[in-house]
Amino acid sequence: DQQVKQNSPSLSVQEGRISILNCDYTNSMFDYFLWYKKYPAEGPTFLISISSIKDKNEDGRFTVFLNKSAKHLSLHIVPSQPGDSAVYFCAAIQRGYSGGGADGLTFGKGTHLIIQP
Amino acid sequence: DVKVTQSSRYLVKRTGEKVFLECVQDMDHENMFWYRQDPGLGLRLIYFSYDVKMKEKGDIPEGYSVSREKKERFSLILESASTNQTSMYLCASSLFEGTQYFGPGTRLLVL
């Protein structure tokens, strides 16, 4: 069962406009959420995160919104730039699950964002 | 800046070979992870480690083993490579639970 879902495999947005990438999760125990950006043949790069005690976190052009009741988060990129064209992964974790040790992130399948000039 | 390096960017191996993928991080992170990325499947956790000599199975550990003899180094071992292990392998590390930092990836082709 997929616990983190990104239902749009791809998204095309015009340069300068807002890009909105969506992510849904089913595990209500997740308490920390992250967005990663990935270019082909490279490792994912951390973009922004949000704790479940917040509903918004902003960093420059990137803002993540969390709606816990709907188990939904979104990443807004404003304004979109050509260099933003990449695959974006949503990820989630339940911190403290492993009794103080680490745990892996649960990733969505990714959304390929294409910024049109 | 966190630096996570992986020993090879591209690797070609034959079915049945033993394959070692090495990962090194320079930020004194306790936690290290191995994922594989496949088209349409996202990133899936193979194994992780929260301390030297400690390891935990992830979601898809079958056909893999790991070794963590030193804090900065985490190795993924394919005991007998098979064609369904052709994939992009990504190593990550983290200090606390949450934000993980990834290496550049190793693209493995098993013939």
Side-chain angles (χ1 to χ4, degrees), chain B residues 31-99:
Chain B
N31 309 318
M32 296 188 76
F33 308 83
W34 276 105
Y35 294 86
R36 62 180 279 180
Q37 183 200 0
D38 300 289
L41 295 177
L43 277 76
R44 295 179 293 167
L45 180 66
I46 305 171
Y47 265 98
F48 63 96
S49 167
Y50 54 88
D51 202 353
V52 175
K53 297 194 186 295
M54 305 302 290
K55 59 185 179 184
E56 293 282 346
K57 291 180 180 179
D59 299 319
I60 51 164
E62 295 79 19
Y64 303 95
S65 62
V66 289
S67 172
R68 186 130 181 241
E69 296 297 319
K70 293 185 178 181
K71 190 175 185 180
E72 67 271 16
R73 190 178 296 269
F74 192 34
S75 302
L76 180 70
I77 303 151
L78 286 66
E79 297 291 342
S80 177
S82 63
T83 55
N84 63 12
Q85 292 179 309
T86 290
S87 187
M88 171 76 135
Y89 289 88
L90 293 157
C91 174
S93 73
S94 72
L95 183 59
F96 303 113
E97 290 174 310
T99 306

Side-chain angles (χ1 to χ4, degrees), chain A:
Chain A
D1 184 33
Q2 206 182 337
Q3 297 188 69
V4 176
K5 297 178 186 178
Q6 293 177 256
N7 292 319
S8 299
S10 67
L11 176 68
S12 185
V13 174
Q14 205 165 5
E15 182 179 355
R17 299 284 191 118
I18 182 170
S19 294
I20 300 176
L21 296 101
N22 293 303
C23 178
D24 297 294
Y25 61 96
T26 57
N27 187 345
S28 57
M29 302 302 288
F30 286 143
D31 58 4
Y32 193 69
F33 305 88
L34 308 92
W35 283 95
Y36 285 84
K37 173 182 179 180
K38 187 181 184 297
Y39 293 119
E42 292 185 15
T45 303
F46 169 71
L47 266 182
I48 192 168
S49 62
I50 188 165
S51 165
S52 59
I53 62 172
K54 294 187 173 183
D55 54 18
K56 178 182 174 182
N57 189 25
E58 197 170 349
D59 183 2
R61 296 186 299 114
F62 302 93
T63 303
V64 56
F65 294 92
L66 175 63
N67 182 335
K68 278 183 293 183
S69 61
K71 295 192 183 71
H72 176 83
L73 62 155
S74 60
L75 174 68
H76 293 211
I77 307 173
V78 184
S80 300
Q81 298 174 354
D84 296 331
S85 293
V87 177
Y88 289 78
F89 290 99
C90 170
I93 190 170
Q94 177 190 344
R95 290 181 293 186
Y97 178 70
S98 297
D103 200 359
L105 296 169
T106 300
F107 283 86
K109 294 184 178 181
T111 296
H112 185 194
L113 176 65
I114 302 160
I115 305 301
Q116 307 274 9

